[in-house]
Coordinates of all heavy atoms in Angstrom, one line a residue:
N699 N 149.3 78.5 63.0 CA 148.0 79.1 62.6 C 147.7 80.3 63.6 O 148.5 80.7 64.3 CB 146.9 78.0 62.7 CG 146.7 77.5 64.2 OD1 147.2 78.1 65.1 ND2 145.9 76.5 64.3
R700 N 146.5 80.8 63.5 CA 146.2 82.1 64.2 C 146.1 81.8 65.7 O 146.0 82.7 66.5 CB 144.9 82.7 63.7 CG 143.7 81.8 63.8 CD 142.6 82.4 63.0 NE 141.4 81.5 63.0 CZ 140.4 81.7 62.1 NH1 140.4 82.6 61.3 NH2 139.4 80.8 62.2
E701 N 146.0 80.5 66.1 CA 146.1 80.2 67.5 C 147.5 80.0 68.0 O 147.7 79.5 69.1 CB 145.3 78.9 67.8 CG 143.8 78.9 67.3 CD 143.0 79.8 68.2 OE1 143.3 80.0 69.4 OE2 142.0 80.4 67.6
N702 N 148.5 80.3 67.1 CA 149.9 80.1 67.4 C 150.2 78.6 67.6 O 151.1 78.3 68.4 CB 150.3 80.9 68.6 CG 151.9 81.1 68.7 OD1 152.4 81.5 67.6 ND2 152.5 80.8 69.8
Q703 N 149.5 77.8 66.9 CA 149.7 76.3 67.0 C 150.5 75.8 65.8 O 150.3 76.2 64.7 CB 148.4 75.6 67.1 CG 147.6 75.8 68.4 CD 146.3 75.1 68.4 OE1 145.7 74.8 67.3 NE2 145.8 74.8 69.6
T704 N 151.5 75.0 66.1 CA 152.3 74.4 65.1 C 151.6 73.2 64.5 O 150.5 72.8 65.0 CB 153.7 73.9 65.6 OG1 153.4 72.8 66.6 CG2 154.4 75.0 66.4
F705 N 152.2 72.6 63.5 CA 151.6 71.4 62.9 C 151.4 70.3 63.9 O 150.5 69.6 64.0 CB 152.5 71.0 61.7 CG 152.0 69.7 61.0 CD1 150.9 69.7 60.2 CD2 152.6 68.5 61.3 CE1 150.4 68.6 59.6 CE2 152.2 67.3 60.6 CZ 151.1 67.4 59.8
L706 N 152.4 70.2 64.8 CA 152.4 69.2 65.9 C 151.2 69.4 66.8 O 150.5 68.5 67.1 CB 153.7 69.2 66.7 CG 153.8 68.3 67.9 CD1 153.6 66.8 67.4 CD2 155.1 68.4 68.6
H707 N 151.0 70.7 67.2 CA 149.8 71.0 68.1 C 148.5 70.5 67.4 O 147.7 69.8 68.0 CB 149.7 72.5 68.3 CG 150.6 73.1 69.2 ND1 151.9 73.4 68.9 CD2 150.5 73.5 70.5 CE1 152.6 74.0 69.9 NE2 151.7 74.0 70.9
Q708 N 148.4 70.8 66.1 CA 147.1 70.5 65.4 C 147.0 69.0 65.2 O 145.9 68.5 65.2 CB 147.1 71.3 64.1 CG 147.1 72.8 64.3 CD 147.3 73.5 63.0 OE1 146.4 73.5 62.1 NE2 148.4 74.2 62.8
L709 N 148.1 68.4 64.9 CA 148.1 66.9 64.7 C 147.5 66.2 65.9 O 146.8 65.1 65.7 CB 149.5 66.5 64.4 CG 149.7 65.0 63.9 CD1 149.1 64.9 62.5 CD2 151.2 64.7 63.9
L710 N 147.7 66.7 67.1 CA 147.2 66.0 68.3 C 145.7 66.0 68.5 O 145.2 65.4 69.4 CB 147.9 66.6 69.5 CG 149.5 66.4 69.5 CD1 150.1 67.3 70.6 CD2 149.8 65.0 69.7
Y711 N 145.0 66.8 67.7 CA 143.6 66.8 67.7 C 143.0 65.5 67.0 O 141.8 65.3 67.0 CB 143.0 68.0 67.1 CG 143.2 69.2 68.1 CD1 144.2 70.1 67.9 CD2 142.3 69.4 69.1 CE1 144.4 71.2 68.7 CE2 142.5 70.5 70.0 CZ 143.6 71.4 69.8 OH 143.8 72.4 70.6
R712 N 143.9 64.8 66.3 CA 143.5 63.6 65.7 C 144.1 62.4 66.4 O 145.1 62.6 67.2 CB 144.0 63.5 64.2 CG 143.6 64.7 63.4 CD 142.1 64.6 63.0 NE 141.6 65.7 62.3 CZ 141.8 65.9 61.0 NH1 142.4 64.9 60.3 NH2 141.3 66.9 60.4
E713 N 143.6 61.2 66.2 CA 144.2 60.0 66.8 C 145.3 59.6 66.0 O 145.2 58.6 65.2 CB 143.1 58.9 67.0 CG 142.1 59.3 68.0 CD 141.2 58.2 68.4 OE1 141.5 57.0 68.1 OE2 140.1 58.4 68.9
V714 N 146.4 60.3 66.1 CA 147.6 60.1 65.3 C 148.4 58.8 65.7 O 148.6 58.6 66.9 CB 148.5 61.3 65.3 CG1 148.9 61.6 66.7 CG2 149.8 61.1 64.5
P715 N 148.8 58.0 64.7 CA 149.6 56.8 65.0 C 150.9 57.2 65.7 O 151.5 58.2 65.4 CB 149.8 56.1 63.7 CG 148.7 56.6 62.8 CD 148.4 58.0 63.3
K716 N 151.4 56.3 66.5 CA 152.7 56.6 67.3 C 153.8 56.9 66.3 O 154.6 57.8 66.5 CB 153.0 55.4 68.2 CG 154.2 55.5 69.0 CD 154.4 54.3 69.8 CE 155.7 54.3 70.6 NZ 155.9 53.1 71.5
E717 N 153.9 56.1 65.2 CA 155.0 56.2 64.3 C 155.0 57.6 63.6 O 156.1 58.2 63.4 CB 155.0 55.1 63.3 CG 155.2 53.7 63.8 CD 154.0 53.2 64.5 OE1 152.9 53.8 64.4 OE2 154.1 52.1 65.2
V718 N 153.9 58.0 63.2 CA 153.7 59.3 62.6 C 154.2 60.4 63.6 O 154.9 61.4 63.2 CB 152.3 59.6 62.1 CG1 152.1 61.0 61.6 CG2 152.0 58.6 61.0
L719 N 153.7 60.3 64.8 CA 154.0 61.3 65.8 C 155.5 61.4 66.0 O 156.1 62.5 66.1 CB 153.3 61.0 67.1 CG 153.5 61.9 68.3 CD1 153.1 63.4 68.0 CD2 152.8 61.4 69.5
Q720 N 156.1 60.2 66.2 CA 157.6 60.2 66.4 C 158.3 60.8 65.2 O 159.3 61.5 65.5 CB 158.0 58.8 66.6 CG 157.6 58.2 67.9 CD 157.9 56.7 68.1 OE1 157.8 55.9 67.1 NE2 158.3 56.2 69.2
R721 N 157.9 60.6 64.0 CA 158.6 61.1 62.9 C 158.4 62.7 62.8 O 159.4 63.4 62.5 CB 158.0 60.5 61.6 CG 158.7 61.0 60.3 CD 160.2 60.7 60.4 NE 160.9 61.2 59.2 CZ 162.1 61.6 59.2 NH1 162.8 61.6 60.3 NH2 162.7 62.0 58.1
V722 N 157.2 63.2 63.1 CA 157.0 64.6 63.1 C 157.9 65.3 64.2 O 158.5 66.3 63.9 CB 155.6 64.9 63.4 CG1 155.4 66.4 63.7 CG2 154.7 64.5 62.3
I723 N 158.1 64.6 65.3 CA 159.0 65.2 66.4 C 160.4 65.2 65.9 O 161.2 66.1 66.2 CB 158.8 64.4 67.7 CG1 157.4 64.6 68.3 CG2 159.8 64.8 68.7 CD1 157.1 63.8 69.5
E724 N 160.8 64.1 65.2 CA 162.2 64.1 64.7 C 162.5 65.2 63.7 O 163.6 65.8 63.7 CB 162.4 62.7 64.0 CG 162.5 61.5 64.9 CD 162.6 60.2 64.2 OE1 162.8 60.3 62.9 OE2 162.5 59.2 64.8
I725 N 161.5 65.5 62.9 CA 161.7 66.6 61.9 C 161.6 68.0 62.5 O 162.3 68.9 62.1 CB 160.6 66.4 60.8 CG1 160.8 65.1 60.1 CG2 160.6 67.6 59.8 CD1 159.7 64.7 59.1
A726 N 160.7 68.1 63.4 CA 160.4 69.5 64.0 C 160.4 69.4 65.5 O 159.4 69.7 66.2 CB 159.1 70.1 63.5
P727 N 161.6 69.1 66.2 CA 161.6 69.0 67.6 C 161.3 70.3 68.4 O 160.8 70.3 69.5 CB 163.0 68.5 67.9 CG 163.8 69.0 66.7 CD 162.9 68.9 65.6
D728 N 161.6 71.4 67.7 CA 161.3 72.7 68.4 C 159.8 72.9 68.7 O 159.5 73.7 69.6 CB 161.9 73.9 67.6 CG 163.4 73.9 67.5 OD1 164.0 73.2 68.4 OD2 163.9 74.6 66.7
S729 N 159.0 72.2 67.9 CA 157.5 72.4 68.1 C 157.1 72.0 69.5 O 156.1 72.4 70.1 CB 156.8 71.5 67.1 OG 157.1 71.9 65.8
L730 N 157.9 71.1 70.2 CA 157.5 70.6 71.5 C 157.5 71.7 72.5 O 156.8 71.6 73.5 CB 158.5 69.5 71.9 CG 158.5 68.2 71.1 CD1 159.8 67.4 71.4 CD2 157.3 67.3 71.6
E731 N 158.3 72.7 72.3 CA 158.4 73.8 73.3 C 157.5 75.0 73.0 O 157.3 75.9 73.8 CB 159.8 74.3 73.3 CG 160.9 73.2 73.6 CD 162.3 73.8 73.6 OE1 162.5 74.9 74.1 OE2 163.2 73.1 73.2
V732 N 156.8 75.0 71.9 CA 155.9 76.1 71.5 C 154.6 76.0 72.3 O 154.0 75.0 72.5 CB 155.6 76.0 70.0 CG1 154.6 77.1 69.6 CG2 156.9 76.2 69.2
R733 N 154.2 77.2 72.8 CA 152.9 77.3 73.5 C 152.0 78.2 72.7 O 152.4 79.2 72.1 CB 153.1 78.0 74.9 CG 154.1 77.3 75.8 CD 154.5 78.0 77.0 NE 153.5 78.0 78.0 CZ 153.6 78.6 79.2 NH1 154.7 79.3 79.5 NH2 152.7 78.5 80.1
D734 N 150.7 77.7 72.5 CA 149.8 78.4 71.7 C 149.3 79.7 72.5 O 149.8 80.0 73.6 CB 148.7 77.5 71.2 CG 147.8 77.0 72.4 OD1 147.9 77.5 73.5 OD2 147.0 76.1 72.1
I735 N 148.3 80.3 72.0 CA 147.8 81.6 72.6 C 147.2 81.3 74.0 O 147.1 82.2 74.8 CB 146.8 82.3 71.7 CG1 145.6 81.5 71.5 CG2 147.5 82.8 70.4 CD1 144.5 82.3 70.8
A736 N 146.8 80.1 74.3 CA 146.3 79.7 75.6 C 147.4 79.1 76.4 O 147.1 78.5 77.5 CB 145.1 78.8 75.5
L737 N 148.6 79.2 76.0 CA 149.8 78.7 76.6 C 149.9 77.2 76.8 O 150.6 76.7 77.7 CB 150.0 79.4 78.0 CG 149.9 80.9 78.1 CD1 150.2 81.4 79.5 CD2 151.0 81.5 77.1
K738 N 149.2 76.5 75.8 CA 149.3 75.0 75.9 C 150.4 74.5 75.0 O 150.6 74.9 73.9 CB 147.9 74.5 75.3 CG 146.7 74.9 76.1 CD 145.4 74.3 75.6 CE 145.1 74.6 74.2 NZ 144.6 76.0 74.1
T739 N 151.2 73.6 75.6 CA 152.2 72.9 74.9 C 151.5 71.7 74.2 O 150.4 71.3 74.5 CB 153.3 72.4 75.8 OG1 152.7 71.5 76.8 CG2 154.0 73.5 76.6
P740 N 152.2 71.0 73.3 CA 151.7 69.8 72.7 C 151.4 68.7 73.8 O 150.4 68.0 73.7 CB 152.8 69.3 71.8 CG 153.5 70.6 71.3 CD 153.5 71.5 72.5
L741 N 152.2 68.6 74.8 CA 152.0 67.6 75.8 C 150.6 67.9 76.5 O 149.9 67.0 76.9 CB 153.1 67.6 76.9 CG 152.9 66.6 78.1 CD1 152.8 65.2 77.6 CD2 154.0 66.8 79.1
F742 N 150.4 69.2 76.8 CA 149.2 69.6 77.4 C 148.0 69.2 76.6 O 147.0 68.7 77.1 CB 149.2 71.1 77.7 CG 148.0 71.6 78.6 CD1 148.3 71.8 79.9 CD2 146.8 71.8 78.1 CE1 147.2 72.2 80.8 CE2 145.7 72.2 78.9 CZ 146.0 72.5 80.2
I743 N 148.0 69.5 75.3 CA 146.9 69.1 74.4 C 146.7 67.6 74.4 O 145.5 67.1 74.5 CB 147.2 69.6 73.0 CG1 147.2 71.1 73.0 CG2 146.1 69.1 72.0 CD1 147.6 71.7 71.6
A744 N 147.8 66.8 74.4 CA 147.6 65.4 74.4 C 147.0 64.9 75.7 O 146.2 64.0 75.7 CB 149.0 64.7 74.2
A745 N 147.4 65.5 76.8 CA 146.8 65.2 78.1 C 145.3 65.5 78.1 O 144.5 64.8 78.7 CB 147.5 65.9 79.2
W746 N 145.0 66.7 77.6 CA 143.5 67.1 77.5 C 142.7 66.1 76.7 O 141.6 65.7 77.0 CB 143.4 68.5 77.0 CG 142.0 68.9 76.8 CD1 141.1 69.3 77.8 CD2 141.3 68.9 75.6 NE1 139.9 69.6 77.3 CE2 139.9 69.3 75.9 CE3 141.6 68.7 74.3 CZ2 139.0 69.5 74.9 CZ3 140.6 68.8 73.3 CH2 139.3 69.2 73.6
K747 N 143.2 65.8 75.5 CA 142.5 64.9 74.6 C 142.4 63.5 75.2 O 141.4 62.8 75.0 CB 143.2 64.8 73.3 CG 143.1 66.1 72.5 CD 141.7 66.4 72.1 CE 141.2 65.5 71.0 NZ 139.8 65.9 70.6
A748 N 143.5 63.0 75.9 CA 143.5 61.7 76.5 C 143.0 60.6 75.6 O 142.3 59.7 76.0 CB 142.7 61.7 77.8
S749 N 143.5 60.7 74.4 CA 143.1 59.7 73.4 C 144.0 58.4 73.4 O 143.5 57.4 73.0 CB 143.0 60.3 72.0 OG 144.3 60.8 71.6
S750 N 145.2 58.6 73.8 CA 146.1 57.5 73.7 C 147.3 57.7 74.8 O 148.0 58.7 74.7 CB 146.7 57.4 72.3 OG 147.9 56.5 72.3
P751 N 147.5 56.7 75.6 CA 148.7 56.7 76.5 C 150.0 56.8 75.8 O 150.9 57.5 76.2 CB 148.5 55.4 77.3 CG 147.1 55.0 77.2 CD 146.7 55.5 75.9
D752 N 150.1 56.1 74.6 CA 151.3 56.2 73.8 C 151.6 57.6 73.4 O 152.8 58.0 73.4 CB 151.2 55.3 72.6 CG 151.5 53.8 72.9 OD1 152.1 53.6 74.0 OD2 151.1 53.0 72.1
T753 N 150.6 58.4 73.0 CA 150.8 59.7 72.6 C 151.4 60.6 73.7 O 152.4 61.3 73.4 CB 149.5 60.4 72.1 OG1 149.0 59.6 71.0 CG2 149.7 61.8 71.7
V754 N 150.9 60.5 74.9 CA 151.4 61.3 76.0 C 152.8 60.8 76.3 O 153.7 61.6 76.6 CB 150.5 61.1 77.2 CG1 151.1 61.8 78.4 CG2 149.1 61.6 76.9
R755 N 153.1 59.5 76.3 CA 154.4 59.0 76.6 C 155.4 59.5 75.6 O 156.5 59.9 76.0 CB 154.4 57.5 76.7 CG 155.7 56.9 77.1 CD 155.6 55.4 77.1 NE 154.7 54.9 78.1 CZ 155.0 54.7 79.4 NH1 156.2 55.0 79.9 NH2 154.1 54.2 80.3
V756 N 155.1 59.4 74.3 CA 156.1 59.9 73.3 C 156.4 61.3 73.5 O 157.6 61.7 73.4 CB 155.5 59.6 71.9 CG1 156.3 60.3 70.8 CG2 155.4 58.1 71.6
L757 N 155.4 62.2 73.7 CA 155.6 63.6 73.9 C 156.4 63.9 75.2 O 157.3 64.7 75.2 CB 154.3 64.3 73.9 CG 153.6 64.4 72.6 CD1 152.1 64.8 72.8 CD2 154.2 65.4 71.6

Side-chain angles (χ1 to χ4, degrees):
N699 68 7
R700 60 192 174 193
E701 302 292 329
N702 200 47
Q703 294 179 333
T704 66
F705 179 75
L706 177 59
H707 286 80
Q708 298 173 68
L709 191 64
L710 294 169
Y711 288 97
R712 303 289 177 82
E713 293 190 17
V714 56
K716 179 180 178 180
E717 296 76 11
V718 173
L719 179 61
Q720 289 174 321
R721 183 58 183 146
V722 170
I723 292 173
E724 289 175 8
I725 295 172
D728 291 345
S729 299
L730 292 163
E731 303 180 36
V732 175
R733 303 170 78 180
D734 66 13
I735 61 172
L737 306 184
K738 301 185 294 289
T739 62
L741 178 64
F742 190 98
I743 294 174
W746 174 78
K747 293 294 289 183
S749 58
S750 167
D752 277 344
T753 298
V754 177
R755 185 181 294 276
V756 167
L757 290 164

